[in-house]
Amino acid sequence: MSETTSVSDQPTTEPTPEASPRHIRIFDTTLRDGEQSPGASMNLSEKLEVAAALSDMGVDVIEAGFPIASPGDFEAVRQIAQTVRGSTICGLARCNEKDIDRAWEALKVASSARIHVFLATSAIHRQFKLRMTPDEIVERAIAGVKRAAAYCDDVEFSPEDACRTEHDFLCRVVEAAIDAGASTINVPDTVGYATPGEVFDRFKMLCDRVPNMDKAVLSTHCHNDLGMAVANSMAAVAGGAGQIECTINGIGERAGNAALEEIVMAIKTRQDYFNLTTGIDSKRLVPVSRLVSKTTGISVQRNKAIVGRNAFAHESGIHQDGMLKERSTYEIMSPEEVGFSKTDLVLGKHSGRAALADRAKQLGFTLNGEQLQSVFDRFKVLADKKKEIYDGDIVALVQQQISGTSATQWTLLDYEVTSSRDKTPRVRVTLGHGDQEFTEQVEQGDGPIDAAFWAVEKITGIELVCKDFRVRSATLGRDAIGEVNIEVEHKGRSYRGVGVSTDSVESTILAILNAIDRIAAGQNDPSENELPQP
């Protein structure tokens, strides 16, 4: 039989309407392969928190770590095995006695445990890394699986670099591993080299040629070096895989792994095509994504599929108009399905009148045709100056159109800060409002920035919830100008503020005042605009 078959020979994966959906196991390796991302190491408490979140979400198998790698990794796997219920807890081990014994020592307290043993099989790994013959590889694989199977019934075997291993030898190793006691065979694309057609062919070949393949579940583990990890994973399932190995946010060494959230939502959204199911609660995808991002310090790119900030955001005027008429014109799934609260119609320079009118209406303003056109004209000028228009900007534009006046400005006249490591910060702020001056001194907060918020709130009488706080250097050198960007919430609306100074506290106060000016512009109730007494 030839080593490969033509991609054109691949049968359609579209199921017949009466076929029952096939359940796919989700094997999450965020705590093992994901943690191998540079800078993504987690401490024990963080790993326990992530493991609990994965289990609550419905992950079938959690690969908790590589117990022999370090005492910390061992303890993390042991405690996860001891405390997490509802998911099978897995530990990784090379095909040698010490690794396998150490893995079982960590896993034996689990209510459901799996030992995952691996051994490289490709010619390049045999020659340059292991310096072992094919016969020695098979012998080592059999010994490793048998030792793991003596500890527990659930043993997974991975022929590392399987997607670059010769078909004949791969079949030989897989058959031997199953005979030795492996109940799951993982076929990894270790270096992210394969294409979807090649992956399908390889899995289909194993199903056709390995005589005892029916005694084990085929698994896929794809890396994303060429950006095809998710596509390759789905091709593997079409070829016979019953388990997908993936990570939250697609993190992992080099370019990462197949992203769990993309796998789950592809299966859920296109069930008409794949006819598959998982046990994942998709509404937990965004919260768990944010937990992993916060824990590892690896930010999720804004346009990341499913969980990125822009995944359900629309700025194009044509798209926004379609969304306002019928959501399904431009969204194939709802944001609520994955854990977002709602669709975000982002107002920017590409937005149209329909989106602006809709946002103004949400903010309590109904504009006639002439008013809308006037506000829209000024909106376009503003949108050319800034990337994103906030609710406060819209309110200010509408108020200016309706009243013909601009909001009164608060100005920073003076401030003084005292802060040290072990003492409560003290901030004295003096603000100007027209020809009046107001001074407030506070001794509270977690630092001078927090104290500055308190002082300004007391003077202006406007309470704020800080949703985002960013500082960046606008120039070079030790005396660089710092730009503070804040996003605050007041009475359910979002406002943006910007402040620039060589002093970070001053930049913060200016940014707060900038946001408060936008808030004041939108307060229609005269009583809310009454000034505090000096």
Side-chain angles (χ1 to χ4, degrees):
M1 183 175 179
S2 62
E3 289 279 308
T4 60
T5 57
S6 171
V7 175
S8 63
D9 294 333
Q10 178 176 329
T12 177
T13 57
E14 189 168 0
T16 57
E18 60 273 8
S20 297
R22 181 161 63 100
H23 181 79
I24 299 298
R25 293 181 190 171
I26 297 298
F27 177 113
D28 183 276
T29 183
T30 301
L31 295 173
R32 201 277 300 170
D33 206 335
E35 200 200 14
Q36 291 176 202
S37 300
S41 293
M42 296 174 249
N43 61 35
L44 177 58
S45 62
E46 290 169 337
K47 285 189 174 185
L48 286 167
E49 184 180 12
V50 171
L54 293 172
S55 181
D56 290 344
M57 188 169 64
V59 167
D60 297 287
V61 184
I62 298 172
E63 188 165 50
F66 195 174
I68 195 113
S70 70
D73 230 31
F74 173 87
E75 186 59 22
V77 175
R78 190 187 70 81
Q79 289 207 28
I80 290 170
Q82 189 173 50
T83 60
V84 174
R85 296 294 180 264
S87 300
T88 294
I89 308 303
C90 177
L92 186 68
R94 291 165 296 188
C95 271
N96 65 56
E97 294 181 358
K98 288 184 179 179
D99 277 37
I100 296 166
D101 293 348
R102 189 67 167 162
W104 178 245
E105 185 66 24
L107 291 167
K108 64 184 181 181
V109 292
S111 60
S112 177
R114 174 182 295 187
I115 299 176
H116 180 190
V117 295
F118 73 97
L119 180 65
T121 55
S122 68
I124 192 169
H125 279 242
R126 296 195 307 263
Q127 180 181 352
F128 294 104
K129 187 177 80 170
L130 300 177
R131 292 188 170 89
M132 294 172 65
T133 66
D135 288 344
E136 289 172 328
I137 293 289
V138 173
E139 183 180 344
R140 176 78 63 86
I142 291 172
V145 171
K146 282 186 174 180
R147 190 171 189 87
Y151 287 125
C152 67
D153 295 331
D154 194 347
V155 176
E156 177 170 333
F157 173 73
S158 288
E160 186 188 1
D161 205 22
C163 285
R164 293 195 298 177
T165 299
E166 310 93 317
H167 282 198
D168 288 344
F169 184 59
L170 183 60
C171 288
R172 180 186 171 192
V173 174
V174 167
E175 182 179 357
I178 295 173
D179 279 343
S183 53
T184 300
I185 297 294
N186 179 45
V187 182
D189 182 20
T190 303
V191 293
Y193 182 73
T195 65
E198 290 172 329
V199 170
F200 173 87
D201 289 341
R202 188 165 291 260
F203 276 76
K204 182 69 165 55
M205 178 272 299
L206 288 170
C207 290
D208 292 341
R209 291 182 53 184
V210 176
N212 56 358
M213 195 69 252
D214 61 323
K215 296 179 181 179
V217 174
L218 268 175
S219 179
T220 178
H221 179 117
C222 296
H223 280 263
N224 205 39
D225 297 72
L226 293 177
M228 293 188 283
V230 170
N232 284 342
S233 298
M234 299 312 298
V237 170
Q243 174 180 282
I244 299 175
E245 305 193 2
C246 43
T247 61
I248 300 296
N249 299 333
I251 65 172
E253 55 187 333
R254 304 189 314 279
N257 293 50
L260 180 147
E261 60 277 3
E262 295 176 28
I263 295 289
V264 168
M265 291 312 295
I267 289 173
K268 184 173 183 178
T269 305
R270 293 307 311 275
Q271 193 176 75
D272 63 314
Y273 182 80
F274 294 115
N275 200 31
L276 305 170
T277 63
T278 72
I280 299 296
D281 177 3
S282 65
K283 291 183 176 63
R284 299 292 304 154
L285 291 173
V286 168
V288 176
S289 166
R290 289 176 175 173
L291 170 63
V292 170
S293 178
K294 178 199 71 158
T295 302
T296 62
I298 299 177
S299 299
V300 176
Q301 65 192 62
R302 291 178 69 103
N303 64 328
K304 168 74 172 63
I306 313 301
V307 295
R309 186 173 176 180
N310 288 355
F312 294 90
H314 307 263
E315 184 181 332
S316 163
I318 295 173
H319 287 213
Q320 290 177 339
D321 183 58
M323 286 290 298
L324 292 171
K325 293 172 179 174
E326 169 53 48
R327 182 194 63 79
S328 61
T329 54
Y330 288 102
E331 281 187 355
I332 60 173
M333 59 192 124
S334 72
E336 293 82 3
E337 283 185 278
V338 302
F340 283 114
S341 60
K342 61 182 178 65
T343 293
D344 188 10
L345 298 184
V346 179
L347 296 181
K349 66 180 182 179
H350 299 111
S351 300
R353 273 180 290 270
L356 177 61
D358 180 74
R359 181 63 62 82
K361 187 175 181 179
Q362 291 178 25
L363 296 173
F365 302 101
T366 300
L367 304 175
N368 61 35
E370 185 178 340
Q371 289 174 326
L372 177 59
Q373 185 59 51
S374 178
V375 172
F376 183 68
D377 290 340
R378 289 200 299 275
F379 164 80
K380 282 293 190 181
V381 173
L382 181 62
D384 278 333
K385 297 179 180 179
K386 53 191 302 188
K387 290 184 177 180
E388 189 171 334
I389 306 297
Y390 286 77
D391 290 349
D393 299 313
I394 302 302
V395 170
L397 290 174
V398 173
Q399 280 291 107
Q400 187 176 356
Q401 166 62 28
I402 294 174
S403 65
T405 59
S406 300
T408 304
Q409 300 291 310
W410 286 94
T411 56
L412 174 62
L413 300 179
D414 192 22
Y415 72 96
E416 181 181 322
V417 177
T418 302
S419 180
S420 62
R421 183 174 183 179
D422 299 321
K423 292 183 179 180
T424 302
R426 179 178 64 83
V427 174
R428 181 180 57 79
V429 175
T430 300
L431 301 181
H433 193 284
D435 58 358
Q436 299 183 65
E437 291 186 12
F438 305 88
T439 298
E440 187 71 43
Q441 179 171 303
V442 300
E443 292 188 32
Q444 64 185 108
D446 294 327
I449 300 298
D450 192 24
F453 267 94
W454 283 107
V456 174
E457 285 180 322
K458 287 186 176 182
I459 292 175
T460 62
I462 294 177
E463 294 184 358
L464 306 173
V465 177
C466 186
K467 307 295 286 186
D468 190 22
F469 183 94
R470 285 171 290 160
V471 182
R472 76 174 187 88
S473 174
T475 58
L476 300 175
R478 291 191 300 176
D479 59 349
I481 293 175
E483 179 183 278
V484 171
N485 283 266
I486 64 171
E487 182 180 346
V488 297
E489 188 175 284
H490 175 71
K491 295 184 177 180
R493 297 179 182 175
S494 295
Y495 300 85
R496 178 173 176 261
V498 181
V500 177
S501 172
T502 54
D503 185 291
S504 61
V505 175
E506 182 176 0
S507 296
T508 299
I509 297 173
L510 293 174
I512 298 169
L513 294 179
N514 185 234
I516 285 176
D517 285 338
R518 298 172 191 274
I519 294 170
Q523 292 178 332
N524 297 313
D525 184 352
S527 66
E528 293 188 18
N529 287 321
E530 293 178 359
L531 295 176
Q533 295 301 311

